[in-house]
């Protein structure tokens, strides 16, 4: 037996406790729009398909910030941001809906592939999307009217549970609907966090571009308590690290509301998700 084969057998055996532990558990995955446009996206999809085949109940919440930016820029529209949130005018909603819809369709298409000699062959995944997010206006904050930028009012927990109980991958977009039929542009981090809390998921898994969370060039921080996580978010307050800060804030809020563990991994590294979940040292 070659060394590579021996290493594979050893890894596969060592991964079995994690496979057994995760079967039937609910994972919420927070996938930014930048990840959808990255060359490693297809590998992430393959790894999500593998988790589904191992019996993990998956909810994937996707972002669409770069896709929205591109669609608005095509029309010569420069939207304003305040406190990291887009101010969404009513006239921009059709363009934003198109960008979000395109991102969702690209994910659905990737999860539907099944060519022979590919990791997705024989997977037969079913993706469930829908109006799972009930939203309300963000309102006026510090004198700024956010217009059609919304907050999660409620999650259709029953509908989501029905989808993942059926073996579907639930795919949720960063958009919410009011009881009066209004459409709101909602932060995908807010959506993912609220879904994880409402389902009492086993994990919230967030993707960022960087290898992980580091501090002042001292290498990766492998683990954070809630208190040190809050301190690190404060440390990042004035730095241009939107993705990392957003992920940390989502993880902190989820864990404060009973989620046992939240993880941050890179969407640029092939296999980071599997390494994080099925090896002792993680990614």
């Amino acid at each position: 037996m070659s060394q590579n084969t021996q290493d594979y057998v050893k890894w596969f055996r060592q991964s079995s406790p994690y496979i057994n532990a995760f079967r039937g558990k609910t994972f919420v995955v927070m996938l930014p729009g930048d990840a959808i446009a990255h060359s490693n996206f297809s590998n992430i999809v393959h790894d999500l398909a593998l988790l589904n085949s191992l019996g993990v109940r998956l909810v994937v919440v996707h972002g669409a910030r770069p896709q929205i930016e591109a669609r608005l820029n095509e029309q010569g529209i420069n939207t304003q941001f305040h406190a990291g949130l887009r101010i969404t005018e009513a006239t921009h909603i059709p363009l934003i809906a198109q960008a979000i819809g395109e991102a969702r369709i690209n994910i659905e298409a990737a999860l539907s592939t099944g060519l022979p000699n590919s990791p997705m062959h024989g997977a037969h995944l079913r993706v469930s999307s829908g109006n799972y997010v009930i939203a309300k206006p963000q309102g006026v904050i510090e004198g700024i009217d956010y217009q059609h930028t919304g907050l999660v009012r409620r999650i259709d927990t029953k509908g989501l549970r029905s989808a993942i109980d059926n073996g579907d991958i639930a795919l949720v977009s960063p958009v919410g609907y009011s009881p009066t039929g209004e459409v709101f542009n909602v932060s995908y981090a807010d959506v993912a966090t609220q879904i994880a809390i409402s389902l009492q998921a086993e994990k919230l898994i967030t993707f960022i571009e960087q290898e992980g969370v580091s501090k002042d060039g001292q290498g990766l921080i492998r683990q954070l308590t809630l208190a040190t996580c809050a301190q690190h978010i404060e440390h990042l307050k004035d730095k241009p690290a939107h993705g990392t800060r957003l992920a940390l804030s989502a993880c902190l809020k989820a864990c404060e509301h009973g989620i046992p563990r939240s993880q941050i991994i890179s969407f640029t590294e092939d296999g980071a998700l599997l390494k994080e979940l099925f090896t002792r040292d993680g990614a």
Side-chain angles (χ1 to χ4, degrees):
M1 184 184 296
S2 70
Q3 184 61 47
N4 285 342
T5 303
Q6 287 179 325
D7 290 342
Y8 170 75
V9 170
K10 181 180 179 182
W11 172 84
F12 199 68
R13 286 173 176 162
Q14 290 178 345
S15 69
S16 60
Y18 301 103
I19 294 172
N20 293 328
F22 296 154
R23 186 177 295 113
K25 297 297 193 296
T26 300
F27 292 1
V28 176
V29 178
M30 190 170 123
L31 193 68
D34 299 283
I36 302 168
H38 195 270
S39 58
N40 192 47
F41 174 61
S42 62
N43 294 321
I44 294 173
V45 168
H46 296 159
D47 294 345
L48 291 173
L50 179 57
L51 290 183
N52 178 261
S53 70
L54 293 174
V56 175
R57 293 147 49 93
L58 282 177
V59 180
V60 177
V61 181
H62 74 89
R65 179 173 285 212
Q67 290 83 359
I68 291 172
E69 286 291 334
R71 188 58 61 97
L72 292 175
N73 288 340
E74 287 174 2
Q75 301 300 316
I77 299 171
N78 292 315
T79 53
Q80 300 298 310
F81 286 81
H82 182 72
L85 289 175
R86 186 187 304 277
I87 299 168
T88 308
E89 297 180 24
T91 54
H92 299 166
I93 284 290
L95 294 171
I96 290 173
Q98 290 171 21
I100 290 173
E102 182 180 344
R104 188 191 73 245
I105 288 170
N106 286 338
I107 298 171
E108 289 177 347
L111 287 168
S112 300
T113 57
L115 294 172
N117 301 319
S118 77
M120 298 281 287
H121 182 55
H124 303 302
L125 297 179
R126 186 168 49 236
V127 181
S128 173
S129 301
N131 56 338
Y132 295 123
V133 181
I134 296 85
K136 60 183 179 180
Q138 184 83 227
V140 179
I141 301 174
E142 298 177 348
I144 303 297
D145 185 357
Y146 283 86
Q147 301 185 53
H148 278 259
T149 298
L151 283 170
V152 175
R153 180 192 295 270
R154 180 169 58 84
I155 298 296
D156 179 9
T157 309
K158 183 178 179 181
L160 275 173
R161 280 212 179 100
S162 177
I164 58 179
D165 284 348
N166 198 39
D168 298 2
I169 293 179
L171 179 60
V172 184
S173 298
V175 64
Y177 308 93
S178 74
T180 58
E182 289 183 286
V183 179
F184 290 97
N185 178 26
V186 185
S187 163
Y188 83 111
D190 185 26
V191 174
T193 306
Q194 295 298 337
I195 287 176
I197 293 169
S198 69
L199 293 176
Q200 278 300 286
E202 183 73 14
K203 291 180 182 293
L204 172 65
I205 299 170
T206 65
F207 281 94
I208 63 173
E209 184 173 5
Q210 294 76 19
E211 185 181 1
V213 178
S214 60
K215 184 177 181 180
D216 299 330
Q218 297 176 6
L220 290 178
I221 301 172
R222 294 294 179 176
Q223 186 165 307
L224 287 167
T225 64
L226 296 187
T228 52
C229 182
Q231 292 170 3
H232 199 73
I233 293 169
E234 182 66 21
H235 177 73
L236 292 174
K237 183 174 63 175
D238 299 321
K239 297 188 177 182
H242 176 79
T244 301
R245 188 166 56 243
L246 201 64
L248 277 170
S249 298
C251 290
L252 176 62
K253 185 173 182 179
C255 289
E256 285 177 334
H257 286 79
I259 306 307
R261 185 173 291 269
S262 296
Q263 281 141 308
I264 299 176
I265 58 178
S266 173
F267 62 73
T268 67
E269 180 187 347
D270 184 12
L273 179 61
L274 300 183
K275 191 189 300 183
E276 177 64 26
L277 295 177
F278 296 109
T279 66
R280 184 173 60 86
D281 295 329

